[in-house]
Amino acid sequence: MSRTSGIIVTVQSLGGSGACHTGAVFLDRHYRPWKEGVTKRVYIPKETWTNHPNVFRYLNIAVSNFPYYSPKFGAVAFSELKNALGNIPNQSVVVLQVAANNPTGCDLSQAQWDSLSDVFRRKGHFAFFDAAYLGFASGNHDRDCAPLRLFVEQGIPMLCATSYGKTFGIYGERIGILSIPLPTAALAKKAEKHMKLLARAETGAMPVFGSTLVESILGCENLAKEWRTNLQTMAEELKSRRLHLRTLLKELKTPGDWSFLTTQAGMFSYTGLSLGQIDMLRETFHVYLQDTGRLSIAGLNTSNISHVARSIDAVVRHYQFPESH
C-alpha cells in the first residue's frame, strides 16, 4: 500500500495511554486471528514503558516479552530482537515505540527498521506502534515518523497510538489519537464506524481545549513553523544535557563506558546502575532514579547536573571498590 492509495482512520483519545487502550480494545474485538480462536497475546519489549503490559492485561490479553536492550552496549540488542520476532507465531501483535524510547532511550536505526519490516512482512505480524515522543529523538517530527511511513508503504498491518502531551507541552490536557491505516475506502468506513461506537462507549466526548490548541497550531503555517522550531530546540537541549553529563563523568574519570549517554536519545537514559547503587543515590545523595536505572535527562539542569555527576561517580566507585569505603 502506498501513502496515496490508502486511508488513515483516526479517533481522538485520552492521551497516549487512552490511545493504547482504545487500540487494544479494537484489536480485542476485531483482529481476525484472535476472532478465529488464536490465543489473544501481544509481544512487548522486555524493557518498555511500564504501562504497556497493564493496558493489555486489563483486557485479559496475554503479554509475552522479547529482548530489546543490551546492558553491555547500552543499545538495542537488534540481533536478539529480530530473531525473537522471527520465531514467534505468524500474525502476532508486536508492540514497538517509534522514537525516543521510554525507558531506554535506545531507538532502531533506519537500516534496522528496514530489516525488521522484512520480518513483519514474512511473518504477517501486526505492528502496534506507540508514538509518544515524535521529534524528541532527531528534533524533527517528520523524520522521527519514518518507521511509520515505512510500514505503511510496505502494507504491513498496523495501528499507531500517538500522544500530543509531550510534544505540545499540554500533558494535563490528555490529548492523543489512535490511527489505523487501511488499504481501501470500504474498510476504512467500517473501521471508522466501529471506532466511533467504541469512543462513544468509552468516554462519550473527548476534551476539546487541548485538541483545539493542537489543531490551531498545526492549522496555522506560522504557528506550525514556530512549533517545529521549538521542538527542535527541545531535542537539542536534551542532547546538550546528555553531552554535559557524559563530559562531567569523563572529567571525574568515573569507571565504565558512559558513551551510551550520547548515543541514546530522548527524555530518558538507561544508566545500567544496580538497585544497590540506585538506593545509595537516593539515600545518600538525594538523586532519584527509577529502580530500573532510568534517568530523566529532562530533569537535569545547570543547577543540579554537577551534583548528579559527582553522585553517580561516588556510587560507582563505592560498589567497584567497597573495601576503600
Side-chain angles (χ1 to χ4, degrees):
M1 178 175 77
S2 70
R3 279 178 287 178
T4 56
S5 67
I7 296 175
I8 300 176
V9 179
T10 299
V11 64
Q12 187 177 331
S13 64
L14 292 174
S17 294
C20 287
H21 168 73
T22 304
V25 174
F26 189 86
L27 290 181
D28 183 49
R29 295 182 179 181
H30 303 296
Y31 189 46
R32 179 173 293 176
W34 291 357
K35 292 181 68 176
E36 293 176 349
V38 174
T39 300
K40 295 179 180 180
R41 180 181 301 276
V42 297
Y43 292 84
I44 297 178
K46 182 180 178 182
E47 299 82 11
T48 192
W49 179 46
T50 54
N51 207 30
H52 277 152
N54 299 333
V55 166
F56 296 98
R57 288 174 178 151
Y58 179 78
L59 297 170
N60 293 317
I61 298 172
V63 174
S64 293
N65 296 125
F66 58 86
Y68 186 87
Y69 174 76
S70 168
K72 180 178 179 180
F73 298 105
V76 175
F78 184 70
S79 295
E80 293 85 346
L81 183 162
K82 182 178 178 181
N83 289 338
L85 297 189
N87 289 321
I88 61 177
N90 291 349
Q91 297 183 305
S92 292
V93 177
V94 180
V95 178
L96 289 167
Q97 294 181 60
V98 180
N101 270 248
N102 175 11
T104 64
C106 299
D107 295 340
L108 275 67
S109 67
Q110 187 58 53
Q112 289 172 335
W113 279 117
D114 290 340
S115 180
L116 199 61
S117 69
D118 290 339
V119 176
F120 273 77
R121 285 191 292 107
R122 175 169 55 85
K123 297 285 291 185
H125 292 333
F126 188 102
F128 191 117
F129 283 116
D130 184 354
Y133 304 96
L134 295 175
F136 280 26
S138 69
N140 183 289
H141 183 275
D142 292 336
R143 190 178 304 142
D144 283 359
C145 284
L148 300 176
R149 291 192 294 271
L150 171 67
F151 275 56
V152 169
E153 289 167 352
Q154 295 198 5
I156 297 169
M158 58 168 280
L159 60 75
C160 183
T162 306
S163 168
Y164 292 106
K166 293 86 170 176
T167 51
F168 281 81
I170 50 173
Y171 193 83
E173 300 300 329
R174 310 311 299 149
I175 303 300
I177 57 171
L178 172 68
S179 303
I180 306 178
L182 293 159
T184 67
L187 283 175
K189 187 175 181 180
K190 290 181 180 179
E192 183 180 30
K193 179 180 178 180
H194 286 294
M195 290 169 75
K196 285 181 177 178
L197 290 172
L198 177 57
R200 179 65 175 169
E202 291 274 321
T203 58
M206 289 291 171
V208 68
F209 180 70
S211 60
T212 301
L213 288 177
V214 173
E215 183 179 13
S216 298
I217 292 170
L218 295 181
C220 172
E221 183 178 352
N222 289 336
L223 290 177
K225 181 179 179 181
E226 182 178 353
W227 170 72
R228 287 191 292 269
T229 300
N230 291 340
L231 192 60
Q232 183 176 8
T233 299
M234 180 177 291
E236 292 301 323
E237 178 63 30
L238 290 170
K239 293 177 183 178
S240 174
R241 296 180 193 190
R242 288 178 174 277
L243 179 59
H244 192 180
L245 179 59
R246 178 183 172 182
T247 300
L248 289 172
L249 292 172
K250 183 178 180 180
E251 291 174 353
L252 291 167
K253 295 182 171 55
T254 306
D257 180 4
W258 298 91
S259 61
F260 64 84
L261 286 169
T262 50
T263 56
Q264 295 173 2
M267 287 180 61
F268 307 109
S269 181
Y270 246 28
T271 60
L273 296 176
S274 68
L275 186 56
Q277 291 169 324
I278 293 167
D279 284 340
M280 186 176 177
L281 279 176
R282 295 168 179 165
E283 299 300 325
T284 305
F285 299 101
H286 303 287
V287 174
Y288 299 93
L289 279 65
Q290 288 191 337
D291 288 348
T292 59
R294 189 192 80 168
L295 171 68
S296 173
I297 300 298
L300 299 174
N301 56 51
T302 54
S303 298
N304 65 24
I305 194 167
S306 294
H307 173 68
V308 171
R310 290 192 302 269
S311 302
I312 292 175
D313 179 74
V315 301
V316 169
R317 292 182 186 278
H318 175 86
Y319 275 82
Q320 186 175 24
F321 311 110
E323 68 279 0
S324 64
H325 291 266

